[in-house]
């Protein structure tokens, strides 16, 4: 059980306003009752937040009950020390309130501007049409500080040097020591044209004929694999796409609000 996730849920519970209707008590700490509804709410939040990895069970509830008891002990001691009256606490509480209020606005905007399944499908079809026929490559790179160094590396590789070993030994990219210069898969259609053209010119298993200059230095590339871009199915993509579209609607509303605001 991730403690930081539970702590976040406990914080939400502690900030919830309004008195709970009387229900069964699961524990009493120095005279303060912990209601069954609070344990139920925490359990439900943990289970739903686990994406199916955690199931409701007596063992889970026993663990969460101890978390609630610990929280009550902590809150009582903090109150006894009058920590809730300090300026630092009040400032932090105001920050938390503002964060929650901001999130509430985003949720309200989303409710007022729902993204329909038809809209998501239309956007999926548009993006799919743009993607079909595009290529992606699995590349490695070595980044050098000068053109002369890069040419020396190309010569070394042509004589049989292993690309990954040379990348670990000579690349300016700090990640190269762990990855051997591995850049992963990249969609050529999403890259700046000069870079895409350079990578297109290199055959599978081959390296750069000449160094490629960017603001980072002089690059030597190797193409491990090349393939058509794989387009995920609508079912695979719709959840992420809907979230992106909803976020775009929220951003659009925020821009409109800013444009209307009187800023001095």
């Amino acid at each position: 059980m991730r403690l930081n996730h539970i702590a976040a849920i406990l914080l939400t519970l502690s900030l919830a306003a309004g008195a709970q209707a009387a229900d069964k008590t699961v524990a009493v700490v120095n005279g303060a009752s912990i209601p069954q509804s609070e344990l139920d709410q925490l359990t439900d939040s943990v289970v739903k937040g686990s994406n199916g990895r955690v199931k409701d069970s007596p063992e889970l509830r026993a663990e969460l009950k101890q978390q609630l008891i610990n929280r009550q002990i902590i809150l009582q001691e903090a109150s006894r020390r009058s920590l809730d009256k300090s300026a630092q606490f009040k400032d932090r509480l105001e920050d938390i309130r503002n964060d929650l209020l901001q999130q509430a606005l985003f949720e309200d905007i989303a409710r007022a501007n729902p993204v329909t399944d038809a809209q998501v499908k239309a956007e999926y079809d548009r993006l799919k049409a743009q993607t079909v026929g595009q290529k992606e490559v699995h590349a490695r790179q070595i980044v050098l500080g000068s053109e002369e160094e890069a040419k020396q590396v190309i010569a070394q590789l042509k004589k049989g040097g292993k690309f990954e070993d040379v990348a670990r030994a000579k690349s300016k990219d700090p990640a190269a020591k762990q990855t051997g210069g591995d850049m992963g898969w990249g969609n050529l259609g999403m890259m700046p044209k000069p870079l895409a053209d350079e990578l297109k010119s290199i055959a599978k298993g081959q390296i750069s004929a000449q160094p490629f200059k960017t603001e980072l230095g002089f690059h030597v590339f190797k193409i491990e694999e090349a393939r058509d871009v794989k387009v995920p199915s609508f079912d695979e993509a719709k959840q992420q796409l809907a979230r992106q579209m909803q976020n775009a609607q929220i951003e659009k509303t925020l821009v409109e609000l800013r444009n209307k605001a009187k800023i001095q």
Side-chain angles (χ1 to χ4, degrees), residues 241-252:
L241 188 55
R243 184 165 55 250
Q244 291 173 347
M245 294 174 68
Q246 191 71 80
N247 288 341
Q249 182 59 55
I250 292 171
E251 182 64 29
K252 177 175 178 289

Side-chain angles (χ1 to χ4, degrees), residues 67-135:
Q67 293 285 338
L68 290 171
I69 290 172
N70 290 342
R71 179 183 67 132
Q72 186 58 235
I73 292 170
I74 292 168
L75 293 178
Q76 289 179 12
E77 179 61 17
S79 181
R80 187 188 70 79
R81 299 185 186 192
S82 298
L83 298 180
D84 56 330
K85 296 179 174 58
S86 70
Q88 182 184 21
F89 175 81
K90 291 178 180 178
D91 288 343
R92 292 177 64 187
L93 187 60
E94 182 65 16
D95 288 341
I96 292 170
R97 177 187 179 278
N98 290 339
D99 287 344
L100 291 175
L101 195 56
Q102 175 177 282
Q103 185 59 39
L105 174 62
F106 294 167
E107 292 169 357
D108 192 59
I109 293 171
R111 283 192 295 269
N113 301 275
V115 175
T116 66
D117 289 345
Q119 289 173 318
V120 176
K121 183 61 166 63
E123 180 65 4
Y124 171 81
D125 290 341
R126 184 185 72 82
L127 294 173
K128 181 178 179 181
Q130 291 180 348
T131 305
V132 169
Q134 290 186 354
K135 296 288 185 180

